[in-house]
Amino acid sequence: MKSINKVYISGALTGVENIESIKEFYNAIGNLCEKMGLSGYIPHLNTDPTLHPDVSVRQVFETDKYNVSTSDLVIAYVGISSLGVGMELAYADINSIPVILIYEQEKQISRFPRGIPSVVAEVPFENYEDALIKIKTVLDSLILPKA
């Protein structure tokens, strides 16, 4: 696996209950990446449907597609069904970008994304704190030492 620098944090933003809580979770994943010396790209900071309503749908598509396609790793929260996340996972697969799937351990997740060849880890978790600990462990195992 090539070295990891840019991490795309994928997760549902539309039709989500407790949206502020889930955004904080995405931010926490991005902060974890930054603390580990990685560049975390968190889409809602740039194309959030509520915070950035003037960003056109085409611009959202192009921005997120570009950022997924130029990432070295995708961390995707799949605990909430989302067409956008599904498309981001497809772009990751097309570009052979490794993917970490994260979700609550009691949730049943579709087999389709779990079968994507570029999925390198699945992280079922109990709560957001547990998720961050487990994500860090997986990232530690994937990050190549800097030359």
Side-chain angles (χ1 to χ4, degrees), residues 40-142:
Y41 181 82
I42 307 165
H44 76 261
L45 298 179
N46 301 288
T47 57
D48 181 275
T50 304
L51 298 176
H52 307 102
D54 296 335
V55 178
S56 73
V57 293
R58 177 59 59 99
Q59 193 173 0
V60 170
F61 173 79
E62 294 297 339
T63 299
D64 291 352
K65 176 184 170 189
Y66 171 80
N67 281 289
V68 167
S69 300
T70 59
S71 291
D72 302 308
L73 176 71
V74 172
I75 298 175
Y77 172 64
V78 293
I80 298 171
S81 295
S82 166
L83 292 171
V85 171
M87 291 181 67
E88 291 165 348
L89 291 173
Y91 279 112
D93 182 51
I94 287 168
N95 290 288
S96 301
I97 297 166
V99 174
I100 299 171
L101 299 177
I102 61 174
Y103 52 89
E104 291 85 352
Q105 62 189 19
E106 74 275 1
K107 292 199 175 176
Q108 186 170 1
I109 305 303
S110 171
R111 295 183 303 166
F112 190 85
R114 294 178 68 207
I116 295 171
S118 60
V119 170
V120 294
E122 288 189 39
V123 178
F125 60 85
E126 292 180 30
N127 54 48
Y128 293 161
E129 183 178 324
D130 180 49
L132 294 171
I133 292 167
K134 290 178 176 177
I135 292 167
K136 182 180 183 320
T137 300
V138 173
L139 288 174
D140 281 337
S141 73
L142 295 176

Side-chain angles (χ1 to χ4, degrees), residues 23-44:
K23 285 181 189 177
E24 287 177 24
F25 179 46
Y26 302 153
N27 290 341
I29 296 169
N31 290 337
L32 171 64
C33 291
E34 297 287 335
K35 286 178 186 172
M36 296 181 74
L38 307 172
S39 173
Y41 181 82
I42 307 165
H44 76 261

